[in-house]
Amino acid sequence: MVSFKVAAAALLTMGVATAFVPRAAQTPFLTSSEAKNAALSTAAFYQTNGEQKRSAMSMVVSDPTASKGAYTATNAESRRIIPEDVRGRPVMKIVYVVLESQYQSSMTAAVKRINAGSDNMAVECVGYLLEELRNDEALEQFKIDVADANVFIGSLIFVQELAEKVVEVVEPLRDQLDAVLVFPSMPEVMRMNKVGSFTMKNLGQSKSVVADFMKKKKQEDGSSFEEGMLKLLRTLPKVLKFLPSDKAADARTFMMSFQYWLGGSPENLQSLLQMVAQDYVEPVKKFMVGKEKLVNVEPVLLPDKAIWHPVAPSIVFETSTAYFEWYNKEFCPDAGIDPMNARTIGLILQKSHINTKDDTHYVSLISELESRGARVVPIYSGGLDFSGPVEEFFYDNTGKVVVDTVINLTGFALVGGPASQDHKKAAKVLKKLNRPYMCAVPLVFQSFEEWQASELGLHPIQVALQVSLPEIDGAIEPIIYAGREGATGRSVPLADRVNLLADRAMKWSNLRTKPKVDKKIAITIFSFPPDKGNVGTAAYLDVFDSIKAVLGQLKTEGYNIGDAPLDKAAIMESVLNDPEAKIASPELNVAYRMSTDEYYELTPYAKDLEENWGPAPGNLNSDGQNLVIYGKQFGNVFIGVQPSFGYEGDPMRLLFAKSASPHHGFAAYYTYLEKIFEADAVLHFGTHGSLEFMPGKQVGMSGQCYPDRLINSLPSAYLYAANNPSEATIAKRRSYSATVSYLTPPAENAGLYKGLKELKELISSFQGLRGNEGRGVAIVNSIVSTAYTCNLDKDVDLPPLDTYDAKTDTPEGRDVIVGQVYSQIMQIESRLLPCGLHTVGVPPSAEEAIATLVNIAQLDRPEDEIEGLPRVIASSIGRDINEIYRGNNKGILADVELNEKITTAARAATRALVEQSTDSDGRVKEVKNMFDEVGNFFGSMMGAKKPWTNAIVKAGFPDVNEDRLQPVMTYLEFCLNQIVKDNELGGIMELLNGEFLMPAPGGDPIRNPDVLPTGRNMHALDPSSIPTAAAVEVSEAVVRKLLEKLADDNNGEFPESIAFTLWGTDNIKTYGESLAQVLALVGVRPVSDSLGRVNKVELIPLEELGRPRIDVVVSCSGVFRDLFINQMNLMDRGIKMAAEADEPLDQNFVRKHALEQAEELNISLREAACRVFSNAAGSYSANVGLAIENGGWEDEGQLQEQFLTRKGFAFNADKPGMMEQQADLFKSALKRVDVTFQNLDSSEISITDVSHYYDSDPTKVVQGLRDDKKKPMSMMADTTTANAQVRSLSETVRLDARTKLLNPKFYEGMLSTGYEGVREIQKRLRNTLGWSATAGEVDNFVFEDANGVFIEDAEMQQRLLDTNPNAFRDMVTTFLEANGRGYWETSDENIERLQELYAEVEDRIEGV
């Protein structure tokens, strides 16, 4: 028997050598001796074939500076062929443009064959990769080539801006070209087709046989354009009979050309060129007059779908039965594979690579998988709908699934290519298969060397098409596995990436097949900032209660959890405390001590970490001799604590422009999980850890990127908050994690308390006694006095307390005061806040469901023809809800009262809906359908109204239209179903059991209820789809409100420059609202292409804009940079378009400032107009938040320097392949800023919930840079409700403090969860301090009142100390720091109390 290594080697040889030999020429089967001989020739093959050897085996990185900032720097000259000896023959010049390079070698071979063997023609040929046309020099050469070409060929031209360039060059020359052949591409490119009388000029515009056919096929089965073309080929005779004979012949030529093109082999392309030349190219036609024409041979085509294997005796197998008959009985025994017990990996391939013999990357992966003892089932599809082959070939003839894991090697979405997708169909097909689905990515627009040298990694067009879109199908792990060889364009395997892909596929297969009792699971929890009181950090998640639920589920399903306690407190105790400690444990429980020898032996990259951290063990996660792994093992389950970033060990690292490598302790943790504990999978528990934010490429990791090195071959499941799709997407792409979404606590109204509650009661009394000159006047005086007590004078224009007497005021004046206070009170009361923490597997109660549904009900959803409840209710009294909102915001008493009345009615209606399905335990187990036809019929017969209608009538709106209510109430019933579904534990177990987890969007469940139910594999969105038209409309309204407010506060003058912060999650949730705000301020509008993708902008004329163009300085979060680099390109192009517009400088501040900066910095106008900044590739945040959380910062100057150093990397659309440090340009732009601006888009995350908002706030940075040292105005847009508001930052901080930190409803809700709750309260106090440090916009009363709540109250003090002493110590420290840094003025008594308390808590923690 042949050894397997020999067979694997044979694969590589046979795959390249015989992939397209005609069937008759191939032997019926491969004998053992032949396999051995083939294998023995492999070494010689790689030695003689320099191209293959260099590409696949030992790739060398070329000079990384060669690309000059572009992603693609290859040269079309490598694809230029000029006939060496014309021999008097006419020369036909071919120019072709393709998306991918696999046609290059076949086209080259076809042209050389014609030049060598044809007596009738010679061919000059040059080819361009679509991306190369971004380069000005390449574009100029392309124009020159097309100008003297005979034939133009284009294929898969689906990038709008590049499609426009192709049309711009080819269209004017179309008439002089002998033929234009464009295969599936953007409609405007397809319309250039010209083969004799056959054209597609009307494609997508009016009636044509082809267009009608395509449209019909799309309606019938959702076919993409390419699928439609394939079906058209098969029905060609039927189509042609409707055409005149001459047109039929030309149409037939076009269709034959397409078939030849799809065939892809040198023989097929030779036939294509010869056919077109002799019939349509004038010089060749004249030369061949009187000569016999070549007879067009039928295209040599493989079946549309089949199973392919590089050493199979037949080229392909059209049934799985035939394939396994050969594979199991002949191949596997020779290869040493046990077909009965082997893991089976399904592979999805692109047919064009097989047609063109460009298959070495496929062969390499097949050989690696088979060398690990796995079987493979490699399938392909002729088009880009792979669902049919999946359903046909990944099942046996009994309907049983035959694969354990699936890897899509095309990089495309399962159904549809770059132009159109059917994600629902894909997910349905994949869920039926129910196997892990990986989508690996071949480099298309970059050579291997270009990708390796790029800090950003994978080309953004590929990220959009081949990472983002497959993720919406449910795909995981976008591992780069193949590169493009620069000179020949052939695909080559990247050896280490192929190995990693094979290892990870085997591990996922193992999860499905290994007995549960033997599987080892590592649950990883986080501690941020690193402190014992913060172990189990996760956004809005009760971590230890959720671990209890997961352990219970693991036990139920047969996993070995040993003696794990199923009690939250006991689980906490086992992880947090070392049982060997005498009194109290300053350290966590130590699970393992790793010697440095063991560490260096098991961690191949350990030496690389020494540059940043010195030799191991270092001082982090170390006892001085060993590296320490914290955690606790129970049976086959390990609960471990992920080490920190390491900044606390050396705060000066926060100043570095680029993030350092992980420290030795961090590396040791993942080494322990994989190689000592030998985990089968790791479950990262909650939002979020540090793994996915370690340095490396943005997308498309290399073996040098730290997330890749750390996670290595470990399958990773990651619990992520459903409202944070952006960072979840980073985890998917950079740490190869399959995410499981979890619900954030339902948002409830903040309510009122203490003086605020008293104010509302006074206002209620005033409403009843408004006309009473005695009591009514007295109440107004009390309202003014109480408002001052509550510090509302900072938000409402109150009269002077010491001189005002309502008796001397007019009734209208009193109404204005009461209305403004009432409006402010209602803002506070109705503010949404998540209460408590979520426990995995516990769905919301009925009350919690009502809170969420009320918020869903307030929004209009015009795309679904659903009016929000407030709009329907307001219309019943003849009012428009937007008009009521405007009056409410102005403090008009009647509108404030009406707004509250409508809100109360909407809540009552929602409650009536939910109560129909609520059981005696206050939970919704099954939602009753209140809209069934029988019930509706009998109800209408009896004249009965629905319960929600009655509730609205009872609330004071007797004329509400029940029919108009039905759409929104039906929608709420659907949403209720989604809210109470519970699949979080199920989703975790599906991943750990090696199954397919259904995909779902992440985001705000109020804006987009499709986020629900949770427990699914969260994805972001198609980045090319934003900003949507709806987002643009909302953004224009916000910009209008912002500029009106700023002009009102500045004597009618507009600001000249606004500093903007853009976040990834916000733009996913709002579909690009803040992105659209940037464009709106500059005065450019986004333009959709014919496929609905946004990748173009146009300048809005000043006359239409009606105001000056406002300059912007855009600071993008690192996550935004990773997810939306195409949108950064869009902004940069739009801003430069504005800067280059020849307009008056007093009407174009972008141009005004860019001209000033160009002169100041001695650079070009375009360079000076760079306004889009972020971190260096692979780095995240300004580290200001980290500094404040760790407390290790000296002064505000350090924080400002961190911001400038880390955020000063410019994006330049002229050099899109790099983020370039431009500190001088960044400072020059910021010093001209008048206003800083951010957006709040959802109720779950506000400005004191997380450190991100202040981490990227440049308010004091701008103040320090401005020549006049004036602090810019700081503004926030709040679009968390239908009534969007623009407030100052100080107003927003006050609102946040009143509704959260100081609100009993919030802090009591948090305290009810225990240990984690104290930490959540302290986090908001610390983040409030952060705003003092970066913006100086926190009022003294916020700290004073917080001290009163948490410190002066002895009972509260004790509760905090007993529940989480470490977090309480941090709280005391924060108060002392706020005072010490000058942010809080308070009494000496308060400071002394805090100092004494700190000493007491310290003693308590140390066990003294």
Side-chain angles (χ1 to χ4, degrees):
M1 179 178 288
V2 180
S3 76
F4 185 74
K5 291 293 181 186
V6 171
L11 273 177
L12 280 166
T13 307
M14 298 295 289
V16 175
T18 65
F20 212 89
V21 177
R23 292 178 194 225
Q26 290 193 345
T27 52
F29 58 89
L30 186 70
T31 65
S32 296
S33 61
E34 287 169 330
K36 188 170 185 177
N37 290 336
L40 293 174
S41 69
T42 301
F45 169 78
Y46 278 107
Q47 286 166 3
T48 56
N49 191 323
E51 168 199 324
Q52 295 292 339
K53 179 183 177 186
R54 183 167 67 85
S55 308
M57 297 297 145
S58 57
M59 300 295 290
V60 178
V61 181
S62 64
D63 177 13
T65 63
S67 66
K68 297 178 184 175
Y71 276 92
T72 303
T74 48
N75 196 317
E77 295 308 307
S78 64
R79 283 169 237 111
R80 188 179 298 279
I81 302 166
I82 297 173
E84 294 176 4
D85 184 3
V86 175
R87 303 198 311 271
R89 298 170 295 174
V91 177
M92 169 179 71
K93 182 173 180 180
I94 306 286
V95 178
Y96 66 93
V97 175
V98 289
L99 181 73
E100 300 181 80
S101 63
Q102 65 259 42
Y103 277 87
Q104 179 179 340
S105 57
S106 286
M107 183 65 88
T108 300
V111 169
K112 287 182 175 178
R113 286 183 186 191
I114 293 172
N115 289 340
S118 173
D119 294 329
N120 300 320
M121 68 190 80
V123 181
E124 178 185 343
C125 178
V126 61
Y128 291 82
L129 297 184
L130 185 59
E131 271 298 306
E132 290 170 349
L133 299 183
R134 290 187 191 276
N135 181 288
D136 290 341
E137 292 177 12
L139 185 62
E140 284 306 309
Q141 186 57 52
F142 175 57
K143 291 177 182 176
I144 293 167
D145 281 323
V146 175
D148 63 357
N150 299 98
V151 178
F152 172 77
I153 300 174
S155 178
L156 294 183
I157 299 172
F158 281 116
V159 180
Q160 177 71 33
E161 59 192 290
L162 299 177
E164 289 172 1
K165 290 187 177 185
V166 172
V167 172
E168 189 181 304
V169 172
V170 178
E171 180 65 34
L173 301 170
R174 181 176 177 273
D175 290 343
Q176 78 180 46
L177 287 160
D178 294 310
V180 177
L181 296 168
V182 182
F183 306 121
S185 293
M186 299 287 288
E188 55 266 46
V189 190
M190 294 288 293
R191 284 196 285 270
M192 293 194 300
N193 265 302
K194 181 183 87 167
V195 182
S197 59
F198 175 81
T199 74
M200 289 189 178
K201 277 198 169 183
N202 296 325
L203 182 67
Q205 294 180 331
S206 59
K207 280 191 167 289
S208 73
V209 174
V210 173
D212 286 349
F213 183 88
M214 298 298 182
K215 189 174 180 182
K216 183 181 175 188
K217 292 311 296 177
K218 185 164 183 65
Q219 287 171 344
E220 286 175 4
D221 56 13
S223 300
S224 70
F225 188 88
E226 187 167 14
E227 296 295 326
M229 291 285 281
L230 289 169
K231 293 180 174 78
L232 184 57
L233 288 177
R234 290 193 284 272
T235 56
L236 193 60
K238 295 177 187 175
V239 175
L240 294 181
K241 72 182 181 182
F242 293 107
L243 297 173
S245 58
D246 59 332
K247 288 193 175 183
D250 293 333
R252 179 175 174 78
T253 299
F254 174 77
M255 291 301 173
M256 284 287 285
S257 298
F258 187 38
Q259 285 186 309
Y260 285 133
W261 184 259
L262 288 176
S265 65
E267 298 87 350
N268 281 314
L269 296 188
Q270 181 180 349
S271 296
L272 185 160
L273 298 180
Q274 289 176 161
M275 176 184 73
V276 171
Q278 67 184 8
D279 288 339
Y280 299 97
V281 176
E282 284 303 319
V284 179
K285 281 171 67 177
K286 288 177 183 175
F287 187 78
M288 292 187 67
V289 171
K291 294 185 179 182
E292 187 177 350
K293 283 187 176 184
L294 290 169
V295 176
N296 294 333
V297 297
E298 287 296 309
V300 181
L301 298 176
L302 293 174
D304 277 350
K305 56 184 176 181
I307 305 175
W308 171 85
H309 193 284
V311 301
S314 300
I315 297 176
V316 296
F317 299 87
E318 295 191 63
T319 68
S320 57
T321 304
Y323 175 71
F324 284 117
E325 180 69 22
W326 165 74
Y327 191 67
N328 289 345
K329 294 183 178 178
E330 297 182 29
F331 180 82
C332 286
D334 281 351
I337 299 171
D338 176 2
M340 299 301 294
N341 298 306
R343 310 281 184 267
T344 302
I345 311 298
L347 302 175
I348 299 173
L349 316 178
Q350 202 169 328
K351 188 184 176 199
S352 60
H353 283 281
I354 298 168
N355 288 336
T356 59
K357 305 179 188 176
D358 183 22
D359 56 16
T360 314
H361 53 320
Y362 294 161
V363 175
S364 176
L365 180 61
I366 288 169
S367 70
E368 287 297 338
L369 289 167
E370 290 178 338
S371 73
R372 288 160 173 75
R375 300 191 308 167
V376 295
V377 187
I379 66 171
Y380 70 77
S381 171
L384 288 168
D385 182 349
F386 298 97
S387 61
V390 165
E391 299 220 276
E392 190 168 338
F393 301 129
F394 286 166
Y395 296 82
D396 65 17
N397 54 15
T398 68
K400 180 184 174 185
V401 178
V402 295
V403 295
D404 297 306
T405 293
V406 176
I407 312 176
N408 184 340
L409 295 177
T410 71
F412 288 120
L414 189 74
V415 181
S420 61
Q421 303 78 37
D422 187 339
H423 298 297
K424 286 185 178 177
K425 180 181 178 183
K428 184 178 178 184
V429 167
L430 291 167
K431 187 58 191 171
K432 178 186 170 190
L433 191 71
N434 205 24
R435 298 293 186 266
Y437 176 60
M438 305 165 71
C439 195
V441 185
L443 296 173
V444 173
F445 302 132
Q446 299 151 283
S447 68
F448 168 82
E449 294 89 347
E450 289 163 347
W451 163 74
Q452 187 81 330
S454 169
E455 289 184 341
L456 296 174
L458 188 62
H459 193 291
I461 297 293
Q462 262 200 278
V463 174
L465 296 178
Q466 296 186 291
V467 178
S468 298
L469 295 178
E471 283 172 350
I472 301 174
D473 290 344
I476 56 176
E477 307 203 7
I479 294 171
I480 307 294
Y481 75 100
R484 179 167 59 77
E485 209 284 326
T488 66
R490 290 185 69 85
S491 298
V492 291
L494 307 180
D496 73 311
R497 305 289 79 203
V498 169
N499 273 316
L500 180 71
L501 185 57
D503 286 343
R504 294 190 65 80
M506 294 299 288
K507 288 278 185 80
W508 277 108
S509 298
N510 193 51
L511 283 176
R512 204 191 78 74
T513 55
K514 190 173 183 177
K516 292 176 181 176
V517 72
D518 297 329
K519 272 194 275 190
K520 290 187 172 183
I521 306 300
I523 296 174
T524 293
I525 59 178
F526 313 119
S527 177
F528 185 80
D531 180 272
K532 193 173 177 183
N534 292 325
V535 174
T537 311
Y540 285 121
L541 185 67
D542 190 329
V543 169
F544 287 106
D545 215 25
S546 297
I547 288 176
K548 180 187 84 171
V550 171
L551 287 173
Q553 189 66 32
L554 286 168
K555 184 175 183 179
T556 300
E557 295 204 15
Y559 286 75
N560 173 13
I561 68 166
D563 59 354
L566 295 179
D567 172 75
K568 174 182 175 179
I571 295 168
M572 280 175 56
E573 180 67 23
S574 65
V575 174
L576 291 180
N577 293 320
D578 185 343
E580 295 179 10
K582 295 279 189 276
I583 305 169
S585 170
E587 289 226 352
L588 307 177
N589 187 66
V590 176
Y592 188 77
R593 297 183 191 275
M594 186 184 298
S595 71
T596 53
D597 287 346
E598 184 178 35
Y599 167 68
Y600 279 109
E601 180 186 346
L602 297 179
T603 312
Y605 53 90
K607 284 283 183 186
D608 295 349
L609 309 186
E610 292 183 1
E611 179 185 353
N612 287 301
W613 301 98
N619 60 358
L620 295 168
N621 288 73
S622 161
D623 61 9
Q625 292 182 310
N626 306 290
L627 289 151
V628 176
I629 311 300
Y630 294 120
K632 181 75 173 175
Q633 184 171 341
F634 302 104
N636 284 338
V637 177
F638 172 67
I639 302 173
V641 182
Q642 185 189 76
S644 68
F645 258 116
Y647 292 116
E648 70 281 4
D650 181 3
M652 292 309 292
R653 292 179 186 279
L654 297 168
L655 290 165
F656 295 170
K658 297 185 180 182
S659 299
S661 66
H663 58 80
H664 294 294
F666 203 102
Y669 179 79
Y670 280 93
T671 294
Y672 170 79
L673 294 188
E674 183 180 22
K675 296 176 180 174
I676 297 173
F677 177 65
E678 296 181 330
D680 291 294
V682 58
L683 172 59
H684 288 99
F685 217 89
T687 306
H688 58 72
S690 305
L691 170 66
E692 60 269 35
F693 297 103
M694 286 295 173
K697 298 182 188 300
Q698 284 181 199
V699 186
M701 301 288 100
S702 76
Q704 301 303 304
C705 298
Y706 284 106
D708 180 282
R709 288 172 148 187
L710 289 159
I711 198 66
N712 197 30
S713 67
L714 271 177
S716 171
Y718 209 138
L719 259 180
Y720 238 92
N723 66 354
N724 193 348
S726 61
E727 290 179 320
T729 302
I730 301 300
K732 289 165 81 86
R733 296 176 184 178
R734 302 189 86 241
S735 65
Y736 308 141
S737 297
T739 56
V740 185
S741 61
Y742 65 84
L743 202 60
T744 50
E748 299 181 22
N749 291 117
L752 299 172
Y753 53 92
K754 298 181 181 175
L756 297 172
K757 189 174 182 181
E758 183 185 338
L759 259 179
K760 187 174 182 186
E761 289 166 357
L762 285 169
I763 291 169
S764 181
S765 299
F766 173 76
Q767 288 168 317
L769 298 166
R770 198 175 188 172
N772 188 317
E773 284 295 319
R775 294 175 63 191
V777 166
I779 290 171
V780 173
N781 284 331
S782 295
I783 288 172
V784 172
S785 173
T786 308
Y788 270 103
T789 304
C790 294
N791 296 290
L792 290 185
D793 56 306
K794 302 175 190 310
D795 304 284
V796 177
D797 187 16
L798 293 174
L801 180 61
D802 52 355
T803 59
Y804 179 75
D805 186 346
K807 188 184 295 184
T808 62
D809 205 346
T810 64
E812 293 77 17
R814 293 194 288 264
D815 278 0
V816 167
I817 292 169
V818 174
Q820 288 182 340
V821 173
Y822 194 7
S823 174
Q824 190 65 32
I825 288 292
M826 288 307 299
Q827 279 192 54
I828 296 168
E829 183 179 34
S830 62
R831 181 101 168 146
L832 302 173
L833 70 150
C835 285
L837 299 171
H838 176 67
T839 298
V840 166
V842 179
S845 66
E847 281 300 316
E848 291 168 335
I850 290 168
T852 301
L853 287 174
V854 165
N855 301 319
I856 290 173
Q858 71 171 333
L859 299 179
D860 295 325
R861 301 175 195 273
E863 66 280 5
D864 297 315
E865 298 182 348
I866 294 171
E867 295 177 294
L869 265 180
R871 184 171 300 282
V872 177
I873 295 169
S875 69
S876 73
I877 56 169
R879 293 290 303 275
D880 176 73
I881 192 65
N882 293 333
E883 180 189 307
I884 295 170
Y885 288 153
R886 280 192 291 273
N888 175 86
N889 298 345
K890 289 176 182 176
I892 297 170
L893 185 57
D895 283 340
V896 178
E897 291 171 343
L898 180 56
N899 187 35
E900 186 188 10
K901 186 177 176 183
I902 289 171
T903 302
T904 302
R907 178 172 284 274
T910 307
R911 179 175 295 281
L913 172 74
V914 176
E915 283 179 347
Q916 303 298 310
S917 303
T918 304
D919 64 16
S920 57
D921 295 327
R923 295 207 168 267
V924 177
K925 298 284 172 55
E926 184 179 346
V927 178
K928 293 178 182 174
N929 181 1
M930 298 303 295
F931 293 96
D932 63 276
E933 292 181 15
V934 175
N936 277 341
F937 175 74
F938 283 110
S940 60
M941 288 284 288
M942 302 296 291
K945 292 185 182 296
K946 296 287 186 187
W948 45 85
T949 310
N950 285 328
I952 295 170
V953 169
K954 192 174 177 182
F957 298 93
D959 298 326
V960 69
N961 185 322
E962 187 164 78
D963 290 339
R964 199 166 164 183
L965 282 171
Q966 180 150 339
V968 66
M969 299 311 295
T970 305
Y971 186 66
L972 291 180
E973 186 178 272
F974 160 77
C975 292
L976 178 60
N977 257 312
Q978 301 299 94
I979 289 167
V980 300
K981 281 182 183 175
D982 176 22
N983 190 49
E984 290 173 358
L985 285 174
I988 292 168
M989 298 314 302
E990 284 177 56
L991 291 178
L992 298 184
N993 293 332
E995 299 173 14
F996 177 78
L997 184 60
M998 283 292 281
D1004 180 358
I1006 292 170
R1007 286 176 183 265
N1008 181 15
D1010 287 342
V1011 168
L1012 305 170
T1014 47
R1016 294 183 289 171
N1017 187 3
M1018 189 173 17
H1019 59 75
L1021 42 69
D1022 175 0
S1024 65
S1025 67
I1026 68 168
T1028 61
V1032 170
E1033 187 178 335
V1034 172
S1035 72
E1036 287 172 349
V1038 170
V1039 165
R1040 189 168 55 251
K1041 286 183 181 180
L1042 172 66
L1043 293 179
E1044 284 173 2
K1045 187 173 178 69
L1046 291 171
D1048 287 346
D1049 293 345
N1050 195 36
N1051 301 317
E1053 295 290 320
F1054 288 113
E1056 292 196 5
S1057 181
I1058 297 179
F1060 234 91
T1061 305
L1062 291 186
W1063 302 101
T1065 287
D1066 295 13
N1067 278 281
I1068 292 171
K1069 289 178 181 176
T1070 65
Y1071 298 93
E1073 281 180 16
S1074 53
L1075 164 66
Q1077 289 166 6
V1078 172
L1079 299 175
L1081 283 167
V1082 173
V1084 295
R1085 66 166 62 94
V1087 180
S1088 298
D1089 64 22
S1090 51
L1091 297 173
R1093 298 176 310 194
V1094 184
N1095 46 31
K1096 183 181 177 184
V1097 287
E1098 63 183 20
L1099 212 58
I1100 300 170
L1102 281 174
E1103 310 81 65
E1104 182 184 339
L1105 193 61
R1107 59 165 173 81
R1109 301 190 194 282
I1110 311 297
D1111 197 4
V1112 290
V1113 183
V1114 186
S1115 178
C1116 301
S1117 72
V1119 174
F1120 184 95
R1121 174 206 62 211
D1122 286 3
L1123 299 186
F1124 298 117
I1125 200 137
N1126 289 318
Q1127 277 61 35
M1128 289 169 73
N1129 189 306
L1130 202 69
M1131 286 187 288
D1132 187 66
R1133 283 161 42 210
I1135 293 164
K1136 284 174 176 164
M1137 198 180 285
E1140 292 174 330
D1142 187 9
E1143 296 170 340
L1145 298 188
D1146 64 347
Q1147 291 299 302
N1148 186 336
F1149 300 135
V1150 184
R1151 182 171 177 79
K1152 175 186 174 183
H1153 295 160
L1155 287 168
E1156 291 171 359
Q1157 290 172 272
E1159 184 176 350
E1160 175 188 317
L1161 301 171
N1162 195 26
I1163 54 178
S1164 70
L1165 178 68
R1166 281 187 71 80
E1167 288 175 298
C1170 284
R1171 292 289 186 272
V1172 182
F1173 296 87
S1174 187
N1175 296 83
S1179 294
Y1180 299 83
S1181 90
N1183 280 352
V1184 171
L1186 283 169
I1188 287 173
E1189 283 157 351
N1190 292 324
W1193 52 290
E1194 293 180 10
D1195 55 26
E1196 290 177 2
Q1198 178 191 326
L1199 302 180
Q1200 291 159 27
E1201 188 58 35
Q1202 281 178 208
F1203 179 88
L1204 291 167
T1205 303
R1206 289 184 60 85
K1207 302 299 286 188
F1209 288 78
F1211 177 85
N1212 187 341
D1214 300 331
K1215 296 187 283 186
M1218 63 194 293
M1219 295 294 298
E1220 191 172 17
Q1221 190 155 26
Q1222 293 275 16
D1224 291 342
L1225 181 61
F1226 191 37
K1227 291 175 183 177
S1228 174
L1230 283 172
K1231 78 177 186 181
R1232 292 168 166 80
V1233 163
D1234 303 307
V1235 179
T1236 61
F1237 182 74
Q1238 294 201 53
N1239 282 274
L1240 283 177
D1241 63 272
S1242 69
S1243 57
E1244 304 111 310
I1245 300 177
S1246 190
I1247 61 170
T1248 59
D1249 293 326
V1250 292
S1251 62
H1252 303 55
Y1253 288 111
Y1254 73 77
D1255 180 272
S1256 289
D1257 177 73
T1259 302
K1260 286 189 177 178
V1261 175
V1262 170
Q1263 181 180 11
L1265 291 170
R1266 282 180 64 105
D1267 294 335
D1268 60 7
K1269 302 305 175 189
K1270 179 183 173 185
K1271 191 162 83 167
M1273 294 182 68
S1274 298
M1275 308 299 293
M1276 301 285 297
D1278 182 344
T1279 58
T1280 58
T1281 67
N1283 182 16
Q1285 304 264 15
V1286 175
R1287 302 185 183 94
S1288 70
L1289 174 58
S1290 57
E1291 282 180 274
T1292 309
V1293 171
R1294 288 193 293 273
L1295 183 59
D1296 220 46
R1298 286 169 176 143
T1299 53
K1300 288 190 177 167
L1301 185 64
L1302 306 176
N1303 185 354
K1305 187 171 184 178
F1306 174 78
Y1307 60 71
E1308 289 294 347
M1310 285 299 174
L1311 285 174
S1312 68
T1313 66
Y1315 167 87
E1316 289 96 338
V1318 181
R1319 185 181 62 230
E1320 291 293 325
I1321 296 167
Q1322 153 57 13
K1323 182 167 76 173
R1324 279 148 188 88
L1325 181 65
R1326 175 62 65 168
N1327 290 340
T1328 304
L1329 173 72
W1331 281 111
S1332 293
T1334 61
E1337 296 288 346
V1338 182
D1339 292 283
N1340 200 71
F1341 85 82
V1342 174
F1343 289 112
E1344 192 71 21
D1345 287 4
N1347 181 71
V1349 171
F1350 302 113
I1351 304 300
E1352 288 181 9
D1353 184 333
E1355 185 182 340
M1356 172 63 76
Q1357 193 188 105
Q1358 195 62 43
R1359 285 173 68 190
L1360 297 169
L1361 179 60
D1362 291 342
T1363 309
N1364 189 333
N1366 294 77
F1368 182 56
R1369 177 183 59 185
D1370 291 345
M1371 182 181 288
V1372 173
T1373 304
T1374 303
F1375 279 117
L1376 288 169
E1377 187 177 348
N1379 173 257
R1381 294 188 186 276
Y1383 304 142
W1384 172 39
E1385 291 181 17
T1386 191
S1387 66
D1388 292 342
E1389 181 187 350
N1390 279 340
I1391 297 304
E1392 287 167 11
R1393 182 192 298 112
L1394 286 163
Q1395 289 169 340
E1396 290 168 6
L1397 199 52
Y1398 182 86
E1400 288 175 27
V1401 180
E1402 192 77 4
D1403 288 346
R1404 165 82 174 266
I1405 290 170
E1406 297 298 331
V1408 176

